[in-house]
Amino acid sequence: MVSVCHAQNISINAQVVDENIPEEAARSLETKLQSVLTANGYADNGYAERFVLTAIVDVIQKEVTPTTPARISEKMDITLMVGDVVENKIYASVTIQAAGIGTNVNKTFINAFRSINSENPRIQQMLNEAKEKIIEYYTNQCPIIIRKVQGLVATQAFDEAIFLLISVPDVCRDCFTQCQRQAGVVYQQKIDAESTILLEKARTVWATSNQNMQSANEVADIISQINPRCSNYAEVLALRSSIEQKLQADDKRDWDLRMKQYENNEKYKQSIVDAYKTVAVAYAKNRPTTIYRTIVRSWWY
């Protein structure tokens, strides 16, 4: 069956890693690139940093005016590139000319970057070319993505597997739908694996303790980490019941309060979709962005 593809919600992240650009000017250029992406319909979903729009600046003419204060005038070529930091390849690029003047190099760069226009037909053509290649990638690579996810699940790298699935943009409906469905499956596997370990830990703590309120609180701390959607939740309830029967009246009230707080945890009231998206966002935030900047710098420049 041929995948149905359309260009919606492609996530491209703006990154500037050209060390020849002053730091403040680099931040200004990165903001400008992000505005170009937004104006042309490219989303940033907050966790997928696979596709990157970056820039290289080549100063082709520089003059210092004989004024007080002196001003620096520069003409430059700005090459914009969209690429894939996983495959280490550039999908499309375009070079535009710009000029800036300022009392120092930093201000000169910033003024030059202001001339980058999100409606520039050449920039739009470059983005469209990259978009088509991203669509082609997901059309052809979806089975490979699923196989990679299966390998990650086999090693219980659940968070990375969910991240990989959720990173698939809504450009190929078949692949997007398949990966969203698989993300729910992997999320269930994740909470089942975690609950098995936590339940065994809770049982051990209770069985080897004095079985008083102090040990009950220790067990409660462990149980509070178990997602009620886990497949073995009936066993969690059985452990809770057995602990409750051992406690005295006052302790039982404290235990019931702890369990009520557990049941009311907003984290566990999320829909499955929101739950696995939360996992993907957390995984993305824990990854060092320097890895991706290093790839862009070393492979593309």
Side-chain angles (χ1 to χ4, degrees), residues 76-140:
M76 59 189 71
D77 287 339
I78 304 174
T79 301
L80 307 182
M81 300 177 291
V82 174
D84 183 340
V85 297
V86 174
E87 296 293 328
N88 292 324
K89 64 182 180 182
I90 297 170
Y91 283 143
S93 65
V94 64
T95 299
I96 57 175
Q97 284 71 47
I101 187 168
T103 55
N104 57 48
V105 172
N106 189 62
K107 291 180 179 179
T108 300
F109 272 95
I110 291 174
N111 288 330
F113 297 153
R114 286 175 179 156
S115 66
I116 299 175
N117 187 348
S118 60
E119 297 181 358
N120 183 323
R122 296 181 64 224
I123 294 177
Q124 292 177 329
Q125 181 180 352
M126 184 272 295
L127 290 174
N128 285 332
E129 180 183 344
K131 176 184 67 181
E132 293 303 319
K133 290 183 178 179
I134 291 173
I135 291 174
E136 181 182 357
Y137 171 84
Y138 280 107
T139 302
N140 297 330

Side-chain angles (χ1 to χ4, degrees), residues 53-64:
L53 173 63
T54 190
I56 299 175
V57 177
D58 181 22
V59 177
I60 57 178
Q61 184 178 331
K62 180 176 180 178
E63 296 179 353
V64 180

Side-chain angles (χ1 to χ4, degrees), residues 42-264:
Y42 293 86
D44 182 359
N45 61 21
Y47 45 82
E49 296 180 353
R50 175 168 196 147
F51 302 107
V52 171
L53 173 63
T54 190
I56 299 175
V57 177
D58 181 22
V59 177
I60 57 178
Q61 184 178 331
K62 180 176 180 178
E63 296 179 353
V64 180
T65 62
T67 59
T68 304
R71 292 183 177 272
I72 300 171
S73 173
E74 293 183 337
K75 293 182 180 179
M76 59 189 71
D77 287 339
I78 304 174
T79 301
L80 307 182
M81 300 177 291
V82 174
D84 183 340
V85 297
V86 174
E87 296 293 328
N88 292 324
K89 64 182 180 182
I90 297 170
Y91 283 143
S93 65
V94 64
T95 299
I96 57 175
Q97 284 71 47
I101 187 168
T103 55
N104 57 48
V105 172
N106 189 62
K107 291 180 179 179
T108 300
F109 272 95
I110 291 174
N111 288 330
F113 297 153
R114 286 175 179 156
S115 66
I116 299 175
N117 187 348
S118 60
E119 297 181 358
N120 183 323
R122 296 181 64 224
I123 294 177
Q124 292 177 329
Q125 181 180 352
M126 184 272 295
L127 290 174
N128 285 332
E129 180 183 344
K131 176 184 67 181
E132 293 303 319
K133 290 183 178 179
I134 291 173
I135 291 174
E136 181 182 357
Y137 171 84
Y138 280 107
T139 302
N140 297 330
Q141 299 297 313
C142 198
I144 296 175
I145 293 171
I146 297 298
R147 285 198 294 272
K148 183 174 181 180
V149 165
Q150 291 169 343
L152 291 169
V153 169
T155 61
Q156 296 200 338
F158 298 111
D159 291 4
E160 184 178 355
I162 292 171
F163 168 79
L164 186 60
L165 291 165
I166 297 302
S167 298
V168 175
D170 188 8
V171 291
C172 278
R173 172 58 63 179
D174 293 342
C175 186
F176 174 79
T177 301
Q178 183 179 359
C179 287
Q180 290 286 314
R181 186 184 304 113
Q182 187 65 23
V185 173
V186 174
Y187 179 73
Q188 186 65 53
Q189 292 174 305
K190 166 185 166 67
I191 63 175
D192 285 350
E194 291 173 346
S195 68
T196 298
I197 295 172
L198 290 168
L199 181 58
E200 184 58 33
K201 182 179 179 181
R203 284 171 170 162
T204 300
V205 167
W206 184 247
T208 58
S209 71
N210 293 327
Q211 298 190 348
N212 54 21
M213 194 57 208
Q214 181 179 351
S215 52
N217 280 330
E218 188 175 350
V219 172
D221 289 339
I222 299 170
I223 288 179
S224 67
Q225 302 172 60
I226 298 177
N227 193 307
R229 291 194 183 94
C230 65
S231 299
N232 62 347
Y233 191 61
E235 297 178 52
V236 177
L237 292 175
L239 176 61
R240 285 175 52 178
S241 178
S242 66
I243 293 174
E244 183 177 332
Q245 293 172 16
K246 293 280 188 179
L247 298 176
Q248 300 297 321
D250 289 344
D251 289 343
K252 182 179 179 301
R253 282 194 292 269
D254 292 341
W255 171 260
D256 288 343
L257 178 60
R258 290 292 304 272
M259 291 300 99
K260 190 66 176 177
Q261 292 171 338
Y262 164 52
E263 292 168 354
N264 289 335

